[in-house]
Each structure stands twice: as C-alpha cells, then as structure tokens.
Amino acid sequence: METANKPVAVVTGSNKGIGLAIVESLCRKFSGDVVLTARDVGRGESACAELLRQKGLKPVFHQLDITDDGSVRRLAAFLQSEYGGLDVLVNNAGIYVLAKCEKSPAEKARITMETNFFATHRVCQVLFPLLRAGARVVNVASGLGRLSKVGNESLQEQLVSPQLTESDLLGMARDYVAAAANESGDTAPWPADSAYSMSKVFLIGLTRIQARDVTAARPAHSILINSCCPGFVDTDLNEHRGRLTVEEGAETPVVLALLDKESPSGQFYKNTQVCEW
Ligand SMILES: NC(=O)c1ccc[n+]([C@@H]2O[C@H](COP(=O)([O-])OP(=O)(O)OC[C@H]3O[C@@H](n4cnc5c(N)ncnc54)[C@H](OP(=O)(O)O)[C@@H]3O)[C@@H](O)[C@H]2O)c1
C-alpha cells in the first residue's frame, strides 16, 4: 500500500510499560500508522507480535536506541522515505537508576541525564525537521521534574526565564552533570543525588523552549509541543511500585498526542490538565 504522506506517529521506548500502552491506544485512536520502536529488535518485534495476537492491532516496528545517533538517523531516513514526514512524536523512552544499584551518584547522574535528557534532545534535533503542519510532540517527563526540585532560587529563575535558549539549557544540564561528578560530594548549586528529578526538570524546561522556538519559526503550522507526568505507574521502571495501570499512565500522553489545534503549547500536564511546573 502507498504510505507516502500517510500520517505517522512514533513512540520511543515502546516495547513495554507506558510506551507500549501509548502505542496500543494510538493504534485505536490515531488515523495513521503507529511506529513501535525499541532498542532491542527482538523485544520490539515480540511486542508487535503480541499486540497483533492479543488485540488485532498492527503497529509498524522500527529499531531505535535514542542514545545511538546512527539509530536515530536510520529512523529519520525511514520516516522520510516511507511517509515523507512525521505527525506525532512521543518521547517516552527513559530510565530510572534504582537506589539499590551500586553506581556512584556521579555515574547515576551521567547515565540518567544521557538517556532522559541529552538523547531525547538529540532525537528532537534529528526528527523535528520532519514534523508536518499540525504535528504534536509529547515529552514524557515526571512530577519529580517539578521546578521546586531544583532548590536554588537563582537556578529556578534562569530555568523559567523567557530569554533562556536551548543552548543555555544544554549548558546548564552539562553544569549539573559536572557538579554531580564532584568527588567531594558537593554538588552545589545543584541538589545532591537527584539525577532522575533533574533529568526531568531539564526535559520540561526543554519542552517550553522548543514550543516557543518552533511556534516562532513556523507560526502558521500549529505544531504543539508539551510535556507531562503519566502518574505513578506500575512498570519495571519502579519495580512495580506504581499504583496506576499502564493504560491509565498512557492517558495523558495520548491526549497530548491528539490535542486539537486551539490547545496550548509548551505546557506541563498531569491528569490530562495543564499544571504548574
Ligand atoms: N512508571 C512511572 O511511574 C513513571 C512516572 C513518571 C514518569 N515516567 C516516565 O515514563 C516513561 C516510560 O517509563 P515506564 O515506567 O514505562 O518504564 P519501563 O517500563 O522501564 O519502560 C522504559 C522503556 O524505555 C526504553 N528505553 C530505555 N532506554 C532506552 C534507549 N536508550 N533507547 C530506546 N529505548 C530505551 C526501554 O527499553 P528496554 O526494554 O530495552 O529497556 C523501555 O521500552 C519514562 O520516560 C519514565 O521516566 C514513568
């Protein structure tokens, strides 16, 4: 079947957990193809096979490791050649290094920031040129990424400043990783041992800047970019301590993926509603 110009949605990290539930919901609600992506081809293909076997749904599979630039570029080339663009991008892939893991706070900060913030940012850099008019981008953040988690008031002021650029934010994120690597354990002015929170603070900050800049560059295109907290969801990420089902966790990201064009951009959502950062 001819797929060029057919609408297409991509969900990162969607072989399991909330991402898989987002794919399932989009397969039912989005009028186009839904691309289930996974860093491991076996895990991704078996998730697709299960969706077909159990629910009769047919997502398209494509490999994607968000920390591998070659992998991100291969996905972009696939989207360009098969669909000629991109209509929905859900940046869901993320990690949480459990407290019992024997990594140092510095190593936790490095790997958590690399996946949750820097790699997500690079996915956006590569895929944003493909966004068609009317596209939606959803950055799956967390309530743990609230601004108050930063503590230091001057840093909070910088993060909310309307003048803050993407490059300023990347600089702040690198400063945080450098501070977290300080062997003395003094991470000032950044909070100590809070890598996951900080990765989501930066992701929410990035969302605000992306929304502002994309709207300025393409004012007539109604591209909406928002972040959200899916809630505390029962997944591998938190060793199944979460209370919500993955279907409940997928609800807000899916609402944002399908927002109508009068909706806001650059906002942080929780329980499907705009919420203060
Ligand atoms: N669960 C919660 O309570 C909760 C709360 C707030 C926010 N979140 C956020 O929701 C998102 C989904 O989390 P979840 O709870 O569904 O976690 P999960 O069940 O652990 O799933 C995470 C997904 O991300 C993938 N992933 C990790 N690193 C990747 C990489 N480098 N490239 C591509 N995919 C990668 C994983 O793939 P593998 O299977 O290969 O590891 C997996 O498919 C995350 O961003 C998380 O921070 C979750």
Side-chain angles (χ1 to χ4, degrees):
M1 191 188 135
E2 179 62 49
T3 55
N5 301 323
K6 185 177 184 183
V8 62
V10 168
V11 184
T12 70
S14 49
N15 53 289
K16 67 176 183 178
I18 299 166
L20 180 57
I22 294 171
V23 165
E24 180 179 336
S25 179
L26 286 178
C27 280
R28 298 183 202 282
K29 295 179 178 169
F30 176 69
S31 57
D33 282 355
V34 181
V35 184
L36 182 156
T37 66
R39 55 181 161 179
D40 181 273
V41 172
R43 288 198 285 273
E45 287 181 343
S46 92
C48 284
E50 281 303 293
L51 278 180
L52 179 61
R53 193 178 66 79
Q54 295 181 2
K55 322 252 165 126
L57 300 172
K58 292 185 185 166
V60 172
F61 174 67
H62 202 281
Q63 193 274 346
L64 175 66
D65 180 339
I66 66 166
T67 63
D68 174 350
D69 284 337
S71 172
V72 179
R73 289 187 191 285
R74 284 190 291 281
L75 174 67
F78 166 78
L79 293 169
Q80 178 65 61
S81 71
E82 291 297 313
Y83 298 95
L86 176 60
D87 300 281
V88 171
L89 171 63
V90 183
N91 284 307
N92 165 80
I95 59 167
Y96 176 78
V97 182
L98 294 163
K100 67 181 184 195
C101 169
E102 282 173 3
K103 292 193 187 321
S104 66
E107 186 60 1
K108 277 190 204 167
R110 194 188 63 73
I111 61 178
T112 306
M113 286 290 290
E114 176 50 30
T115 297
N116 295 2
F117 177 69
F118 292 112
T120 303
H121 170 255
R122 287 197 301 272
V123 167
C124 293
Q125 278 188 310
V126 175
L127 297 188
F128 274 20
L130 293 175
L131 293 177
R132 276 193 272 255
R136 304 286 177 259
V137 177
V138 184
N139 291 328
V140 180
S142 167
L144 293 174
R146 301 296 277 271
L147 195 59
S148 59
K149 295 284 176 187
V150 178
N152 182 291
E153 283 185 12
S154 156
L155 290 175
Q156 290 188 32
E157 276 169 27
Q158 289 175 53
L159 285 164
V160 295
S161 164
Q163 273 77 47
L164 189 75
T165 66
E166 203 168 294
S167 128
D168 295 335
L169 185 74
L170 286 161
M172 291 177 81
R174 284 191 285 267
D175 286 349
Y176 164 66
V177 175
N182 191 338
E183 280 178 10
S184 72
D186 177 8
T187 62
W190 299 97
D193 210 3
S194 54
Y196 182 79
S197 279
M198 293 310 303
S199 72
K200 298 300 189 178
V201 164
F202 285 114
L203 185 58
I204 297 169
L206 178 66
T207 308
R208 293 158 55 97
I209 294 169
Q210 288 173 328
R212 180 196 69 200
D213 291 356
V214 169
T215 301
R218 300 175 62 180
H221 285 188
S222 304
I223 295 174
L224 305 181
I225 306 174
N226 290 290
S227 62
C228 66
C229 173
F232 188 36
V233 183
D234 174 357
T235 67
D236 288 347
L237 184 114
N238 51 35
E239 295 189 303
H240 299 275
R241 290 191 175 89
R243 288 183 297 275
L244 302 178
T245 64
V246 289
E247 289 75 20
E248 290 168 327
E251 197 182 339
T252 298
V254 170
V255 164
L256 299 188
L258 303 175
L259 280 177
D260 67 53
K261 69 186 246 194
E262 311 307 332
S263 305
S265 189
Q267 302 299 312
F268 174 63
Y269 281 73
K270 190 167 183 189
N271 296 326
T272 74
Q273 303 299 317
V274 173
C275 177
E276 204 178 321
W277 182 15

